[in-house]
Amino acid sequence: MSGVALFGLGLACAAAGFVAACAPSASPSVAPSGVTAAGSPLGDGGARLAAVLGKLASGYSFTSTVSVGGQVATQATGRWIGGASEFTVTTNGVSITYRTLPPRSWVLQAGKGWVEVNGSVPSGSPLDALKLPNQASVVKQTSDTLELTASYPAAVLGLAGSAPLAVDLVLASDGSLSATYTAPTGSATSATTIKPDPGQAPIAAPSPS
């Protein structure tokens, strides 16, 4: 997978709780402060963000698209429930599917079936780190949506490096969360939508091949 694809799919991999599949060198180095750029508490924006993330903790599905120069480069779709996740990344017509049941994870390989991946996957909700951005401010609010701009350490998005990244967030009344951000070079954008899906089937460990 190209560097652009790795960058753009960082949030999708973080949402799946499988950062190692997309950015193995990521390591948090900036602690979130939970304050706005002006230094005041996040207030209603922070409360709304926490409420949406709380609903997603019961299970969610997600889609992510990376575009370069206006053209789709990579897409990912997946779901998370009860600490387990499964997602598929498609680049240049080639798809790779990952499944995680912390601390174990697997990748589906053509002709080989499910193959267990070395290393361990952390447990817990992958979206908890989004609850406290370094900075956040309300851009626009309607009866159905709340638009925020927030700054997160790169590692929170499943990316390498310590420089913060600006993320545009849209919180909808149906409990969904949309997040969009752009690569520092401006060459790639990532758009991810996460929707509540508490009624989905459980995710089980793959059967031995």
Side-chain angles (χ1 to χ4, degrees), residues 55-117:
K55 292 180 180 179
L56 293 172
S58 297
Y60 55 82
S61 57
F62 61 90
T63 61
S64 186
T65 300
V66 180
S67 299
V68 181
Q71 300 295 316
V72 174
T74 302
Q75 292 181 307
T77 60
R79 62 192 184 100
W80 180 95
I81 188 166
S85 67
E86 181 172 310
F87 69 106
T88 300
V89 179
T90 302
T91 305
N92 296 325
V94 178
S95 298
I96 301 176
T97 299
Y98 301 91
R99 185 178 294 182
T100 72
L101 280 82
R104 302 173 68 189
S105 60
W106 298 261
V107 59
L108 184 59
Q109 296 184 354
K112 296 183 179 180
W114 290 101
V115 177
E116 189 160 2
V117 179

Side-chain angles (χ1 to χ4, degrees), residues 22-184:
C22 300
S25 59
S27 58
S29 59
V30 181
S33 60
V35 298
T36 65
S40 59
L42 289 176
D44 183 64
R48 288 280 295 274
L49 177 59
V52 168
L53 292 172
K55 292 180 180 179
L56 293 172
S58 297
Y60 55 82
S61 57
F62 61 90
T63 61
S64 186
T65 300
V66 180
S67 299
V68 181
Q71 300 295 316
V72 174
T74 302
Q75 292 181 307
T77 60
R79 62 192 184 100
W80 180 95
I81 188 166
S85 67
E86 181 172 310
F87 69 106
T88 300
V89 179
T90 302
T91 305
N92 296 325
V94 178
S95 298
I96 301 176
T97 299
Y98 301 91
R99 185 178 294 182
T100 72
L101 280 82
R104 302 173 68 189
S105 60
W106 298 261
V107 59
L108 184 59
Q109 296 184 354
K112 296 183 179 180
W114 290 101
V115 177
E116 189 160 2
V117 179
N118 292 331
S120 61
V121 177
S123 59
S125 173
L127 299 182
D128 279 349
L130 295 180
K131 292 180 179 180
L132 291 174
N134 285 344
Q135 299 177 349
S137 58
V138 175
V139 176
K140 181 181 179 180
Q141 183 169 4
T142 69
S143 59
D144 296 321
T145 62
L146 177 68
E147 298 180 23
L148 304 174
T149 181
S151 174
Y152 290 96
V156 168
L157 303 178
L159 306 173
S162 58
L165 292 174
V167 180
D168 295 325
L169 301 171
V170 178
L171 316 181
S173 58
D174 65 358
S176 65
L177 168 66
S178 298
T180 305
Y181 60 94
T182 301

